[in-house]
Amino acid sequence: MTSPTIKLETVNSWGMVQKARCDLRQPRDVDALRGMFEQARRQGRTIGLRGAGRSYGDAALNDGGLLLDLTELNRLSSFDPSSGVLVGEPGVTLRQCWREMVPQGHWPAVVSGTMKTTLGGGASMNIHGKNNYCAGSFGEYLESFEILLPTGEELRCSRDENADLFFGAIGGFGMLGCFTSLTMRAKQVESGRVEVRPHATSSFAETLELYDALAPQADYLVGWHDGLSTGAKRGRGLVHEARHLSADEDREAESSMALDRQDLPTRMFGVMPKSWLWMGLWCFLNRPGMRLVNAMKFWSGSRQAQGDPYRQAHAAYHFLLDYVPHWKWAYRPGGLIQFQAFVPREKAASTFDDLLETMHAHGIPPYLCVSKKHRQDPFLMTHAVDGYSLALDIKVSDSNRERVWALTEELEEQVLSAQGRFYFAKDSVLRPRNLTRMYRPETLDAFVALKRRCDPEVMLQTDLYRRIFSQS
């Protein structure tokens, strides 16, 4: 009997740096998904799971194997406005969620910087938002889920039922099973807008002190930093504080929750399509250009910080990565990676300073630099710390690729020396020898035991898994 011909196609990481040749399939319902699992099990093939494909690195690639695109499993089964509980398939996006919720007075409790993230991807990576320090991570708002294991078994998991798998699969980067249904709790809002107040800061230390001072009163906090400045200006930036408005504070509270008040504009000044803007950004994506852009941003933000707060729709405040369609194309042809470090509070400011200093010493500064405040969470393979994170976008080209990887090895060592961690949704470079420095032995042992129980044939694999885990 001859083996079936397998057609492999090239699939890129979101950052366009990694690529893999995969047998890409798109199940349209859970029965089809189950059939693909059964077929792969019979044929001894590996399976990787892919949601919206928004992971910057190789988390949603499976070179040489089967890759299941779950975006067609996007049925939103129900939403109960009295409880704020939503039930949906793994391919349901955050956009689908908020468009269902907002007109009924709710908003997802935790969202990423893009509304294209799926429920399955959000759970697998246990995404966080600008409110992680007070609201926690995505998984903390999942009440239960149903999961298909590589063995063919289907389980319901919650904090009370199959709890070890509940806490392991959330943040388990798709290596224990495939979510088939997720039940998520949203939060109630009285207005479709938040009040935003910018603050200018002169350093990382000042930014982190400001985070701590604002945290008791703010619903959201996020910082932008000028990654091109050096010396006394290193780490300067802008912190955007936001809080929910009550119905009493917003005269337009009811009308502000209409969908047309939330949708992001598609044109600049009502004329130029935003889909063209990446071409203009491409012209500035170099050190002189970004130095100018950052200086202008800091100057204008500092002036704005002296004025009154302003109001923004929820979608406009949260989904900055969706403002300019295809903005990543400005990084062509080489693409970008994001180096995101999570560092405990005691060492965060000095570590962030060291990271920027090292990048400048290598001649590879970050073109985007974003900080957040965090708290710990209860999930097994968590990246969360009681501290702060710094995300650094690094441009990759044919001429600097080897230098970028050498740089990230130094950055990795600085973060791990500070007892920091990395986030699998963003990671592109973590070396296998360092996985044991991120997690305690008992944590890794518990994950290995779950993997062995749920996936004894190690059918679920991705390039990320093979890079950092199977070799550790």
Side-chain angles (χ1 to χ4, degrees):
M1 182 176 177
T2 59
S3 300
T5 301
I6 297 172
K7 181 182 177 182
L8 299 180
E9 55 186 286
T10 299
V11 182
N12 292 323
S13 64
W14 190 83
M16 306 176 293
V17 172
Q18 294 92 349
K19 57 185 62 178
R21 297 281 290 168
C22 308
D23 180 6
L24 187 64
R25 307 284 184 90
Q26 193 174 53
R28 298 186 181 275
D29 54 44
V30 174
D31 286 339
L33 173 69
R34 193 179 297 113
M36 291 177 184
F37 266 58
E38 291 173 356
Q39 183 182 42
R41 192 165 54 248
R42 288 196 307 270
Q43 296 175 349
R45 302 184 66 193
T46 63
I47 290 181
L49 304 176
R50 184 179 179 89
R54 306 296 289 192
S55 292
Y56 280 66
D58 52 4
L61 302 178
N62 184 25
D63 194 42
L66 190 62
L67 186 63
L68 302 186
D69 176 344
L70 303 175
T71 52
E72 287 296 312
L73 291 174
N74 60 359
R75 294 160 188 83
L76 205 164
S77 304
S78 64
F79 175 64
D80 179 2
S82 64
S83 63
V85 172
L86 176 143
V87 181
E89 291 183 327
V92 169
T93 63
L94 292 179
R95 182 178 188 273
Q96 288 176 264
C97 292
W98 70 254
R99 290 180 69 83
E100 180 72 22
M101 294 174 178
V102 169
Q104 302 186 71
H106 287 81
W107 181 258
V110 173
V111 297
S112 54
T114 171
M115 67 180 82
K116 297 179 181 180
T117 301
T118 61
L119 294 184
S124 294
M125 294 300 178
N126 197 20
I127 62 172
H128 58 270
K130 301 174 181 68
N131 57 352
N132 186 253
Y133 64 96
C134 62
S137 61
F138 187 83
E140 295 180 62
Y141 297 89
L142 289 176
E143 299 203 334
S144 65
F145 58 76
E146 294 175 10
I147 190 168
L148 173 65
L149 304 183
T151 59
E153 187 178 8
E154 296 179 61
L155 297 175
R156 183 183 185 278
C157 301
S158 69
R159 289 166 179 79
D160 302 315
E161 186 177 5
N162 297 305
D164 58 345
L165 184 51
F166 179 84
F167 288 103
I170 295 173
F173 54 104
M175 291 298 100
L176 300 179
C178 181
F179 301 114
T180 56
S181 178
L182 300 101
T183 300
M184 180 181 73
R185 175 169 37 90
K187 65 181 174 186
Q188 196 166 7
V189 294
E190 297 182 18
S191 168
R193 301 190 294 182
V194 293
E195 183 178 82
V196 184
R197 184 184 293 275
H199 305 264
T201 61
S202 61
S203 65
F204 286 121
E206 185 179 342
T207 297
L208 305 191
E209 289 174 6
L210 181 62
Y211 280 153
D212 292 344
L214 296 176
Q217 70 196 45
D219 291 307
Y220 304 99
L221 291 167
V222 64
W224 166 88
H225 300 271
D226 180 358
L228 275 293
S229 287
T230 58
K233 294 181 179 180
R234 186 171 61 224
R236 69 177 181 174
L238 304 167
V239 170
H240 284 86
E241 166 198 7
R243 66 176 185 87
H244 289 286
L245 293 168
S246 68
D248 293 338
E249 293 177 287
D250 188 357
R251 295 179 182 177
E252 300 178 341
E254 186 174 352
S255 62
S256 69
M257 289 193 273
L259 291 180
D260 62 356
R261 298 284 295 275
Q262 295 291 325
D263 285 327
L264 301 181
T266 58
R267 293 179 178 272
M268 286 286 290
F269 311 113
V271 179
M272 183 192 303
K274 281 194 168 184
S275 57
W276 295 359
L277 293 181
W278 71 267
M279 291 181 280
L281 179 61
W282 182 85
C283 298
F284 287 92
L285 219 62
N286 49 66
R287 265 184 281 181
M290 289 307 298
R291 188 173 286 113
L292 174 63
V293 168
N294 285 0
M296 292 176 62
K297 180 177 176 65
F298 183 75
W299 176 80
S300 63
S302 298
R303 286 177 58 88
Q304 192 177 40
Q306 297 170 16
D308 295 329
Y310 58 91
R311 295 180 176 186
Q312 265 188 306
H314 292 293
Y317 177 75
H318 287 287
F319 301 126
L320 294 177
L321 294 179
D322 297 328
Y323 255 92
V324 179
H326 312 303
W327 63 266
K328 67 175 184 176
W329 290 356
Y331 282 87
R332 286 176 168 175
L336 78 153
I337 63 171
Q338 187 175 100
F339 186 92
Q340 187 170 20
F342 291 73
V343 181
R345 59 174 54 249
E346 296 81 6
K347 298 184 178 181
S350 60
T351 300
F352 295 166
D353 272 329
D354 291 344
L355 294 177
L356 271 193
E357 186 176 9
T358 300
M359 296 182 78
H360 281 277
H362 280 256
I364 305 175
Y367 287 164
L368 182 64
C369 188
V370 174
S371 65
K372 295 190 187 83
K373 179 175 169 64
H374 297 273
R375 77 176 194 193
Q376 294 177 319
D377 65 46
F379 300 99
L380 184 62
M381 297 296 287
T382 183
H383 56 275
V385 298
D386 177 16
Y388 312 88
S389 69
L390 186 67
L392 304 159
D393 283 9
I394 303 173
K395 185 177 182 179
V396 178
S397 65
D398 288 342
S399 62
N400 80 352
R401 185 179 180 113
E402 290 187 8
R403 291 193 298 120
V404 166
W405 255 251
L407 164 65
T408 59
E409 189 161 10
E410 286 190 39
L411 302 181
E412 193 177 311
E413 179 59 35
Q414 290 174 323
V415 173
L416 292 169
S417 295
Q419 288 78 55
R421 291 180 177 175
F422 299 98
Y423 179 34
F424 293 142
K426 302 289 184 68
D427 179 63
S428 294
V429 298
L430 184 65
R431 279 78 181 170
R433 65 180 182 273
N434 286 329
L435 191 66
T436 55
R437 297 177 65 186
M438 276 179 58
Y439 297 106
R440 296 191 304 269
E442 56 268 30
T443 298
L444 292 176
D445 289 345
F447 186 79
V448 168
L450 269 176
K451 177 72 170 173
R452 189 177 297 121
R453 189 179 89 205
C454 298
D455 186 13
E457 297 176 341
V458 197
M459 191 168 81
L460 284 172
Q461 295 188 29
T462 59
D463 290 1
L464 168 72
Y465 174 79
R466 287 187 289 269
R467 170 166 60 88
I468 66 168
F469 207 94
S470 62
Q471 302 174 51
S472 64

